[in-house]
Amino acid sequence: MATRPRLIRSIPFWSLLVGSLAVAVAGGWLTTETLSGIDARLTDGSATNSDVYVGQVWAIVGAIVLGAGLVGLALAAAIAAATSLLPQRPLEVVEPLSFDDAEEDETSDPEPEVDAAHPTTAAYDRARDEAFDAEEPAQGAPGRDRAEAGSR
């Protein structure tokens, strides 16, 4: 069964955290800049209807974006708290890897004798001859009986 990665290595968690922080900063900047601009124009008497009424809408949009960023940060904090409460299962090591066996197998094979002129043919012929010499003729084998009968 697969284990879940630690929260520090979780890309979705970090995306939520960084994204929420960026959205909160952008919303705070938009709200602050819009409200300070409206205040400055109203104070010096150069405010137009567009500055006052449209500026209020932009300030509200900035506040909504700021709130969304804060909700995301709260969600990231809740996820971090919930993850720290979950028990972590230790990893089970089934069998440690050992490379000693593999090295022994590679070095224990003797180098085959190779004919310089025809390396594959000579090795094949030698293996075939050794296998044929090792076989004992079977008693009553049909092929051998016919061959022996034909030679008599």
Side-chain angles (χ1 to χ4, degrees):
M1 180 176 212
T3 59
R4 299 186 68 155
R6 293 179 20 198
L7 193 59
I8 254 179
R9 293 184 174 186
S10 175
I11 293 173
F13 173 75
W14 285 106
S15 299
L16 175 66
L17 187 66
V18 170
S20 298
L21 188 60
V23 167
V25 167
W29 176 81
L30 183 60
T31 303
T32 305
E33 287 296 314
T34 304
L35 289 179
S36 64
I38 291 172
D39 185 40
R41 286 188 218 78
L42 284 174
T43 304
D44 69 6
S46 67
T48 62
N49 288 337
S50 177
D51 289 336
V52 174
Y53 295 115
V54 175
Q56 289 176 5
V57 173
W58 276 110
I60 291 171
V61 168
I64 291 171
V65 171
L66 173 66
L70 293 177
V71 167
L73 288 173
L75 184 61
I79 289 172
T83 303
S84 69
L85 295 176
L86 294 175
Q88 295 292 326
R89 283 186 284 160
L91 293 176
E92 296 178 19
V93 177
V94 177
E95 179 178 321
L97 296 176
S98 173
F99 295 104
D100 295 336
D101 297 335
E103 291 175 5
E104 290 175 8
D105 290 341
E106 291 176 2
T107 58
S108 64
D109 293 338
E111 290 292 324
E113 297 176 18
V114 177
D115 183 18
H118 306 289
T120 56
T121 306
Y124 173 76
D125 290 342
R126 190 171 36 258
R128 185 191 62 208
D129 292 343
E130 289 173 2
F132 184 73
D133 291 342
E135 290 181 7
E136 293 184 19
Q139 296 293 332
R144 294 194 184 245
D145 290 341
R146 276 188 246 145
E148 291 173 4
S151 64
R152 290 185 196 171

